[in-house]
């Protein structure tokens, strides 16, 4: 397994910041414990990831594939930074985008088989440089099933990659904003924003039952909120 | 009065290879101490404290050049955004004063005002002094003394960075962005002999950098 480039490692002891030190929507005052990763830090890190990606994926047209639903915000910001690099350098690479959702066959068991919903025909990936963009590469985000596809996505990335490989792309890379340190199946994306401990986080790209989409920092959710916004 | 975001003595900063920065500073910086994005998020919060305190008064900003220009520009922008959502027109006017107080990385005693010393535009106004870094506090103390001679209505001080030293410095600053240990930092308009102003993150200068750009 190739080693991926360095990432920001957030230690287990890291407490984050007091909510009062940053701007937070008032309606979430009781729903959050701490600010864990400020929005500005996410953007700065994403800017660097964009540079790493462009350096490695030069040469062929890039097809950027966004894994919904959580991936959208990160995908948009990452691509904006890639576009800035493209328009300011001698070499610019054409880039197309696509959006997919991954659903596992819902029989209550994890067979590893997945269904890819949406997206263009995978044959369009032949000979291209494919960049799969996801938010979190993790085994199990919430310990209780909220949305099956969020839980399944982590396990399914490997299966997705196998499917994509069958179409003979020039290269496939995966960019993940967050990776949980507790992940045990040995899979590691090529480009990682932050490696974090096993904490309940929301905000930026991570919603909780559709809540917190309007929160730009990544924060630790409070116990009250877990109950309040339960499915 | 809030302490701001406290950065501990043993905070090592982030490795350079985790962020983007101008290539010409490659050997000159040790680490990224405070990323630009975090600075922006904190400045946005400071703007809300300031807007709350100044209330219905027009704000007369006194920006301390050159180091204060980025902080001032971003802070005033956030204050204006808050103002856009109010039903009253509140003016935020910006004036500038140029001070020189560092030689290499050592703070000097005296207040050197470059250009005009005349601050009569402050008379009767609610003044917000905007300074990038408050170190020993000697400069800020001297500046406050000078400002008071023009009889403003009220004076507050916003400091993006305040050094944690056992002296008066902390009490002088009403709005603190980050409380930092006694390290020499550059970037976000803070310079070392005029270098590093074009670096957007706040970074710690390396030994190589100190020697290279020494005066």
């Amino acid at each position: 397994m190739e080693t991926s480039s360095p990432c920001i490692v957030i230690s287990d002891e890291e407490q984050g910041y007091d909510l009062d030190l940053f701007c937070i929507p008032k309606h979430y005052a009781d729903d959050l414990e701490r600010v864990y990763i400020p929005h500005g830090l996410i953007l700065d890190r994403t800017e660097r990831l964009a540079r790493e990606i462009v350096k490695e994926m030069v040469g062929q047209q890039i097809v950027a594939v966004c894994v919904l639903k959580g991936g959208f915000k990160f995908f948009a910001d990452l691509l904006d930074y890639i576009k800035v690099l493209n328009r300011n350098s001698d070499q610019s690479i054409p880039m197309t985008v696509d959006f997919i959702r991954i659903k596992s066959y819902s029989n209550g068991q994890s067979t590893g088989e997945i269904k890819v919903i949406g997206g263009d025909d995978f044959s369009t990936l032949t000979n291209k440089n494919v960049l799969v963009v996801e938010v979190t590469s993790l085994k199990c985000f919430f310990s209780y099933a909220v949305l099956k596809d969020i839980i399944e996505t982590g396990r399914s990335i490997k299966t997705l990659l196998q499917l994509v490989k069958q179409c003979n792309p020039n290269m496939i890379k995966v960019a993940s904003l967050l990776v949980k340190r507790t992940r045990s199946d040995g899979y590691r994306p090529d480009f990682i924003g932050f490696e974090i401990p096993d904490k309940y986080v929301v905000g930026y790209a991570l919603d909780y039952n559709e809540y917190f989409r309007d929160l730009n920092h990544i924060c630790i959710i409070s116990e009250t909120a877990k109950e309040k916004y339960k499915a | 009065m809030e302490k701001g975001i406290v950065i501990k003595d043993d905070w090592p900063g982030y490795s350079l290879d985790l962020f983007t920065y101008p290539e010409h500073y490659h050997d000159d910086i040790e680490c990224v101490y405070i990323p630009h994005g975090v600075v922006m998020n904190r400045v946005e919060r400071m703007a809300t404290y300031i807007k709350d305190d100044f209330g219905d008064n027009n704000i007369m900003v006194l920006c301390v050049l050159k180091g204060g220009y980025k902080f001032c520009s971003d802070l005033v922008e956030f204050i204006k955004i808050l103002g856009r959502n109010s039903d009253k027109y509140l003016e935020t006017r910006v004036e500038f004063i140029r001070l020189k107080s560092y030689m290499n990385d050592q703070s000097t005693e005296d207040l050197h005002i470059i250009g005009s010393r005349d601050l009569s535009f402050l008379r009767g106004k609610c003044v917000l002094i905007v300074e990038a870094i408050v170190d020993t506090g000697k400069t800020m103390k001297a500046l406050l003394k000078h400002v008071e001679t023009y009889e403003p209505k009220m004076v507050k001080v916003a400091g993006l960075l305040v050094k944690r030293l056992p002296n008066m410095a902390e009490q002088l600053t009403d709005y603190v962005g980050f409380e930092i240990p006694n390290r020499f930092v550059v970037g976000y308009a803070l310079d070392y002999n005029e270098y590093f102003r074009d670096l957007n993150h706040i970074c710690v200068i390396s030994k190589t950098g100190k020697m290279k750009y020494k005066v």
Side-chain angles (χ1 to χ4, degrees), chain A residues 191-207:
Chain A
F191 305 102
I192 302 170
F194 303 83
E195 182 194 279
I196 61 172
D198 199 353
K199 284 196 152 74
Y200 285 94
V201 289
V202 291
Y204 190 62
L206 304 160
D207 72 301

Side-chain angles (χ1 to χ4, degrees), chain A residues 39-55:
Chain A
H39 178 245
L41 179 54
I42 299 171
L43 290 183
D44 284 347
R45 182 60 189 142
T46 305
E47 186 181 13
R48 179 61 194 236
L49 286 179
R51 198 171 94 180
E52 301 295 328
I53 289 167
V54 168
K55 203 161 62 170

Side-chain angles (χ1 to χ4, degrees), chain A:
Chain A
M1 171 129 312
E2 316 168 15
T3 47
S4 47
S5 37
C7 69
I8 295 182
V9 176
I10 299 183
S11 72
D12 292 335
E13 294 77 45
E14 177 59 55
Q15 290 299 310
Y17 303 90
D18 193 293
L19 293 179
D20 192 50
L21 295 171
F22 290 95
C23 288
I24 308 280
K26 282 207 168 58
H27 51 268
Y28 288 138
D30 297 325
D31 301 330
L32 306 168
E33 285 293 334
R34 310 279 283 176
V35 171
Y36 203 57
I37 309 177
H39 178 245
L41 179 54
I42 299 171
L43 290 183
D44 284 347
R45 182 60 189 142
T46 305
E47 186 181 13
R48 179 61 194 236
L49 286 179
R51 198 171 94 180
E52 301 295 328
I53 289 167
V54 168
K55 203 161 62 170
E56 230 181 278
M57 300 187 79
V58 75
Q60 285 294 339
Q61 181 184 52
I62 296 180
V63 179
V65 180
C66 172
V67 180
L68 298 171
K69 292 194 224 177
F72 189 62
K73 194 94 192 66
F74 175 50
F75 181 77
D77 290 335
L78 179 64
L79 259 62
D80 276 350
Y81 282 121
I82 293 176
K83 284 188 262 176
V84 168
L85 289 169
N86 264 341
R87 54 175 181 263
N88 288 307
S89 105
D90 306 325
Q91 257 190 333
S92 84
I93 316 150
M95 190 164 62
T96 57
V97 300
D98 204 2
F99 299 87
I100 59 172
R101 274 190 71 167
I102 303 176
K103 269 196 131 66
S104 58
Y105 285 99
S106 48
N107 55 1
Q109 284 166 325
S110 155
T111 59
E113 280 185 61
I114 60 163
K115 193 164 63 170
V116 176
I117 301 167
D120 301 327
D121 198 309
F122 267 7
S123 59
T124 58
L125 302 179
T126 311
N127 291 329
K128 302 276 170 36
N129 290 347
V130 179
L131 174 70
V132 177
V133 180
E134 52 160 8
V135 171
T136 65
S137 206
L138 37 77
K139 197 165 180 279
C140 184
F141 201 63
F142 293 111
S143 58
Y144 43 89
V146 174
L147 285 172
K148 217 143 174 237
D149 58 347
I150 290 180
I151 298 170
E152 295 304 304
T153 297
R155 282 186 267 233
S156 306
I157 284 291
K158 276 167 109 173
T159 321
L160 171 69
L161 292 179
Q162 274 161 6
L163 273 179
V164 172
K165 272 204 185 88
Q166 285 164 14
C167 307
N168 292 318
N170 188 43
M171 70 162 79
I172 313 170
K173 299 282 178 182
V174 180
S176 242
L177 177 64
L178 303 175
V179 162
K180 276 203 179 172
R181 206 158 26 250
T182 49
R183 191 187 173 102
S184 57
D185 65 358
Y187 169 71
R188 207 146 164 96
D190 303 283
F191 305 102
I192 302 170
F194 303 83
E195 182 194 279
I196 61 172
D198 199 353
K199 284 196 152 74
Y200 285 94
V201 289
V202 291
Y204 190 62
L206 304 160
D207 72 301
Y208 181 81
N209 282 330
E210 303 302 326
Y211 288 95
F212 304 109
R213 286 206 191 279
D214 55 338
L215 175 62
N216 62 347
H217 309 295
I218 287 179
C219 300
I220 297 176
I221 193 176
S222 69
E223 290 303 317
T224 343
K226 281 187 211 167
E227 271 308 303
K228 199 200 267 183
Y229 301 125
K230 218 165 167 169

Side-chain angles (χ1 to χ4, degrees), chain B residues 18-66:
Chain B
L18 297 171
F19 292 95
T20 62
Y21 58 92
E23 201 48 39
H24 53 264
Y25 288 135
H26 181 72
D27 295 320
D28 307 328
I29 40 187
E30 262 323 310
C31 64
V32 172
Y33 205 60
I34 310 174
H36 176 252
V38 180
V39 172
M40 293 298 276
N41 286 163
R42 181 60 188 154
V43 172
E44 184 183 14
R45 181 65 177 101
M46 291 171 81
T48 62
Y49 293 128
I50 291 166
K51 201 84 178 68
D52 284 342
D53 281 359
F54 279 71
D56 283 345
N57 294 302
N58 288 335
I59 308 177
M60 169 67 80
V61 173
L62 184 62
C63 167
V64 179
L65 295 175
K66 300 184 195 174

Side-chain angles (χ1 to χ4, degrees), chain B residues 52-118:
Chain B
D52 284 342
D53 281 359
F54 279 71
D56 283 345
N57 294 302
N58 288 335
I59 308 177
M60 169 67 80
V61 173
L62 184 62
C63 167
V64 179
L65 295 175
K66 300 184 195 174
Y69 96 85
K70 279 292 299 161
F71 175 41
C72 180
S73 160
D74 292 330
L75 181 63
V76 168
E77 187 59 34
F78 282 122
I79 292 174
K80 282 199 226 164
I81 290 171
L82 291 169
R84 283 207 272 275
N85 295 309
S86 126
D87 46 7
K88 267 202 172 92
Y89 171 64
L90 291 173
E91 184 192 82
T92 305
R93 185 173 142 188
V94 187
E95 294 286 345
F96 301 88
I97 184 169
R98 213 184 129 178
L99 303 182
K100 185 147 174 67
S101 59
Y102 278 87
M103 176 70 84
N104 288 332
D105 62 349
Q106 295 303 312
S107 178
T108 62
E109 294 267 337
D110 321 300
L111 182 71
H112 286 125
I113 295 181
I114 298 167
S116 169
R117 292 183 67 92
D118 182 3

